[in-house]
Amino acid sequence: MQLNQPSALENALSHLQCVLVARRTRINPEQITWAQYDVLEILRIRGPMMPSIIGETLGMSRSTTSKILKVLKDKQLIEQTARREDRREQTTSLTDNGEEFLACTAKNRREAAEIAASILTLGEQSIFAELCQKVALALQENQSEL
């Protein structure tokens, strides 16, 4: 059985993904997985959250969320504290180590953006950013259908 040859778009997306993953791997001594990184990033963006809200926001099961939070807590990247309203519920937040890790990844993102800016005109940068957002949104929406 012969598979269809991938399109130029498929090859371009695959190659970009490979390059971005390789860059991320080089600056990730903690060996944080994508799912763990997503949890850290959602906490950075939205602030402290209950585990159930983290899971709902990222489309993760309760058990997956729990496992990820345990690893991040063991790596001292997050902390959990009992809520005043209901001591059985925990609020999850970034630790200083977690914020430092995200600052390092932000630096890597900025460096990648600077490299892209050095080879793209302002118009191309605007188009690229718009297209990336459009494709990311479509992929994200399609993910919920899987």
Side-chain angles (χ1 to χ4, degrees):
M1 179 176 151
Q2 184 176 354
L3 297 175
N4 293 336
Q5 291 298 318
S7 68
L9 177 60
E10 183 180 344
N11 283 338
L13 283 170
S14 180
H15 184 242
L16 179 60
Q17 181 180 17
C18 289
V19 170
L20 292 173
V21 168
R23 285 181 63 85
R24 183 178 179 275
T25 301
R26 282 194 301 274
I27 61 117
N28 186 11
E30 293 85 354
Q31 296 300 301
I32 299 299
T33 66
W34 284 109
Q36 293 163 357
Y37 176 80
D38 289 345
V39 169
L40 294 173
E41 191 65 9
I42 202 71
L43 289 170
R44 181 191 68 79
I45 293 167
R46 295 195 180 171
M49 302 169 77
M50 293 187 329
S52 59
I53 303 298
I54 294 169
E56 286 174 26
T57 302
L58 298 174
M60 297 176 180
S61 69
R62 192 177 287 267
S63 63
T64 298
T65 303
S66 179
K67 289 175 189 173
I68 289 170
L69 294 177
K70 181 180 180 344
V71 170
L72 293 174
K73 193 173 179 180
D74 290 347
K75 292 179 181 279
Q76 301 179 347
L77 298 173
I78 63 165
E79 61 188 357
Q80 293 184 303
T81 54
R83 296 187 67 200
R84 290 182 194 155
E85 303 84 29
D86 185 345
R87 307 276 308 156
R88 294 171 297 173
E89 291 182 340
Q90 302 237 337
T91 299
T92 305
S93 57
L94 292 172
T95 62
D96 290 343
N97 289 344
E99 290 180 13
E100 189 176 307
F101 171 79
L102 289 174
C104 181
T105 61
K107 180 179 179 246
N108 187 51
R109 272 195 321 270
R110 273 187 225 100
E111 288 172 356
E114 288 170 5
I115 291 168
S118 74
I119 62 158
L120 299 173
T121 67
L122 288 176
E124 289 170 335
Q125 290 174 45
S126 178
I127 292 167
F128 182 74
E130 182 180 340
L131 293 175
C132 284
Q133 290 294 344
K134 190 174 185 176
V135 171
L137 180 61
L139 291 172
Q140 192 173 30
E141 288 173 352
N142 193 318
Q143 180 179 359
S144 64
E145 296 172 9
L146 298 177

